[in-house]
Amino acid sequence: MSVEIPVGRKASVKVPASSANLGPGFDTLGLALSLYDHVEVEVVESGLEVVVSGEGEGEVPLDERHLVVKALRAALKAADVTAPGLRVVCTNAIPQSRGMGSSASAAAAGVAAANGLADFALDNDTMVQLASTFEGHPDNAAASILGAGIVSWTNTPIDGRTAPQYFARRIEVHPDIKATAFIPDFHASTEAVRRVLPSDISHLDARFNVSRTAVMTVALRDDPSLLWEGTRDRMHQTYRAEVLPVTAEWVNRLRNLGYPAYLSGAGPTIMVLSTNPVERSLVEEAQGRGMKVLELDVAGPVTVEVSG
């Protein structure tokens, strides 16, 4: 029998943004970044109230369709608890549909809030599974939940009826590595950007990406001098260039100057992972072309504070 959470209990969540793929690790590698959404969930006597400010304000649904609410409901069910009513307040800083994991962060925030309200009944593996279900792949969601870098994978049952299983493990990141995000002033639909990918790639390209994904895990943990080599890709970025020409231009330009740049997630954000800052003149030029440029640290995991 489900336990009802008492009215007045609150969970305050701080959830990091994330960058996925990191070049070659398509739907596999992820990194948590020090840009945060804040979500407060309060148990009330009845009904549902959703308040959103910052990124996504006026654009996202304020009812059961909101992703934080969907994830919250799923995690409450998994923890076998109920709430008579909910007030959900989202203060968002993570840009929407820009390749910085805003959707995954919302799912992770909902799961984490529910876990806090349920006296932390869910372990990390369950939280990754629940949050990743809304994305269809675990790289962004797992990074927001676990923090630092992550390696993730998916097991898809062959019967076509059982739900996929999502897994991830944390990678500690070398303390000298910083991220610089070049965020263009337009959205990119993950679905639309995925449609340009081929159904098959060559054995040569597959071998290339397997090797560079392995290099990237070493670069992240132990040897940042390998970041440029570790961010090389032949699986997805070339194909996405046709629908993200501005992003492709800047990725190529930065890489030609020696910066370990790559398309962050489905874009359009360009991410640089490096131990040295990007030259100021390049930052100013990007800003002059309408981009927001953020210098970010590698972040820790989602945090939850519970009261009441």
Side-chain angles (χ1 to χ4, degrees):
M1 184 175 178
S2 297
V3 175
E4 185 170 278
I5 304 167
V7 171
R9 188 158 207 198
K10 294 182 182 180
S12 299
V13 177
K14 179 181 177 183
V15 62
S18 60
S19 181
N21 302 333
L22 314 190
F26 186 72
D27 284 358
T28 300
L29 297 181
L31 187 70
L33 299 171
S34 62
L35 182 65
Y36 301 93
D37 284 352
H38 292 81
V39 176
E40 183 176 276
V41 178
E42 181 181 2
V43 178
V44 296
E45 291 184 355
S46 64
L48 172 67
E49 180 184 6
V50 181
V51 180
V52 175
S53 62
E55 294 287 338
E57 183 177 356
E59 301 174 6
V60 297
L62 302 179
D63 53 25
E64 294 286 351
R65 296 171 295 165
H66 194 286
L67 186 50
V68 170
V69 177
K70 289 182 179 180
L72 181 62
R73 298 286 195 202
L76 289 174
K77 182 178 180 180
D80 198 24
V81 297
T82 61
L86 294 168
R87 184 172 191 268
V88 180
V89 179
C90 305
T91 306
N92 299 334
I94 303 171
Q96 307 269 307
S97 301
R98 296 294 212 288
M100 297 190 70
S102 60
S103 295
S105 296
V111 170
N115 196 34
L117 294 173
D119 290 324
F120 301 98
L122 306 175
D123 60 21
N124 281 342
D125 288 344
T126 302
M127 291 176 65
V128 167
Q129 174 68 27
L130 289 167
S132 300
T133 299
F134 295 95
E135 291 283 284
H137 45 88
D139 45 3
N140 287 106
S144 287
I145 289 170
L146 302 178
I150 61 98
V151 173
S152 67
W153 66 101
T154 302
N155 286 343
T156 304
I158 59 174
D159 61 18
R161 295 186 300 272
T162 309
Q165 293 179 297
Y166 304 105
F167 303 92
R169 290 295 181 268
R170 175 175 166 134
I171 304 173
E172 298 302 331
V173 177
H174 193 286
D176 292 345
I177 294 176
K178 308 292 182 184
T180 305
F182 291 75
I183 309 170
D185 189 24
F186 59 87
H187 295 164
S189 162
T190 300
E191 182 181 348
V193 176
R194 277 183 179 265
R195 280 200 295 265
V196 302
L197 300 180
S199 58
D200 301 288
I201 62 171
S202 70
H203 187 279
L204 184 64
D205 286 348
R207 182 178 68 191
F208 183 94
N209 268 57
V210 168
S211 69
R212 295 324 188 272
T213 301
V215 170
M216 191 57 179
T217 61
V218 176
L220 286 172
R221 290 183 304 184
D222 304 315
D223 191 351
S225 71
L226 295 174
L227 283 169
W228 191 93
E229 191 66 40
T231 48
R232 296 180 71 188
D233 161 70
R234 291 186 186 175
M235 183 178 289
H236 65 104
Q237 293 185 136
T238 301
Y239 304 103
R240 288 171 160 171
E242 63 183 81
V243 294
L244 296 170
V246 172
T247 298
E249 172 196 346
W250 276 84
V251 167
N252 290 335
R253 183 176 177 191
L254 286 162
R255 292 191 67 81
N256 288 338
L257 292 170
Y259 294 103
Y262 63 91
L263 170 66
S264 183
T269 292
I270 304 102
M271 194 71 65
V272 175
L273 298 181
S274 180
T275 57
N276 298 311
V278 177
E279 185 179 332
R280 191 65 203 166
S281 61
L282 287 168
V283 171
E284 291 174 351
E285 182 182 345
Q287 291 170 332
R289 292 181 59 176
M291 293 188 193
K292 181 185 291 186
V293 182
L294 300 178
E295 296 180 356
L296 303 168
D297 294 321
V298 176
V302 62
T303 59
V304 187
E305 295 183 1
V306 180
S307 61

